[in-house]
Amino acid sequence: MRIGQGYDVHRLVTGRKLVIGGVEIAYHKGLEGHSDADVLLHAICDALLGAAGLGDIGEHFPDTDERWRGADSLDLLRAVVGQLADAGYRPLNIDATVACEEPKLGPHRDEMRTRLAEAAGLEETAVNVKFTTGERMGFVGRGEGIAALAIATVSHTSSP
Ligand SMILES: [Zn+2]
């Protein structure tokens, strides 16, 4: 069994959709980025890649590559799980935290969990998403951006 961690931040701007954990959330701002800027999915992808010793999503999906412009980050997660499989690893569980002052994300937790589990090929009980705020401190607390942290375990598929 191996373990990996991931961290990501994106700036909140007007004129963008807010997509977190594969769920579009009604809000007057969204996250800025080359893809859909799904901060939670990017942290999870990095945790999985890290666990398998496969680098980070910046290497695999560079923001200079037009293929990933506006990309659905659930597709990035599916691609990462495919890369893990090629390297002989499968995800075991994912735990993540999103730090966001506004909007309230709790009502979207179950839908995020369902989408993340489906894309990662895991049972929903193997995917956990938690929410916190910045307590009005720092860039999260001022609503300038959203941060996400994730941890993932993977096992080698040839292991018993
Ligand atoms: Zn990102």
Side-chain angles (χ1 to χ4, degrees):
M1 199 262 279
R2 294 171 61 135
I3 190 161
Q5 56 104 4
Y7 172 72
D8 194 30
V9 290
H10 282 270
R11 186 181 293 273
L12 272 169
V13 295
T14 52
R16 290 271 301 181
K17 285 191 226 171
L18 180 62
V19 183
I20 301 178
V23 178
E24 192 175 326
I25 294 160
Y27 191 54
H28 66 284
K29 290 182 179 179
L31 294 174
E32 185 175 48
H34 184 69
S35 65
D36 62 7
D38 191 323
V39 66
L40 172 56
L41 269 156
H42 294 177
I44 289 171
C45 286
D46 266 353
L48 287 166
L49 289 168
L54 292 173
D56 65 38
I57 54 169
E59 289 173 54
H60 295 279
F61 311 104
D63 62 10
T64 50
D65 190 330
E66 282 303 307
R67 274 183 303 170
W68 309 116
R69 179 177 294 283
D72 179 343
S73 292
L74 285 168
D75 289 337
L76 302 190
L77 176 55
R78 292 186 187 99
V80 163
V81 171
Q83 285 166 353
L84 259 66
D86 291 344
Y89 293 99
R90 67 180 174 86
L92 289 179
N93 85 299
I94 292 163
D95 183 33
T97 302
V98 182
C100 170
E101 204 72 23
E102 278 185 352
K104 287 240 178 298
L105 301 179
H108 305 283
R109 185 194 317 265
D110 290 346
E111 195 179 354
M112 288 182 193
R113 200 177 192 190
T114 300
R115 294 195 180 189
L116 294 169
E118 181 275 321
L122 287 168
E123 298 290 327
E124 288 187 23
T125 53
V127 178
N128 194 65
V129 183
K130 308 183 297 294
F131 305 116
T132 189
T133 69
E135 294 286 349
R136 309 217 166 269
M137 297 179 289
F139 73 89
V140 169
R142 291 189 296 268
E144 293 167 9
I146 296 176
L149 301 100
I151 194 161
T153 55
V154 303
S155 72
H156 207 268
T157 47
S158 61
S159 304

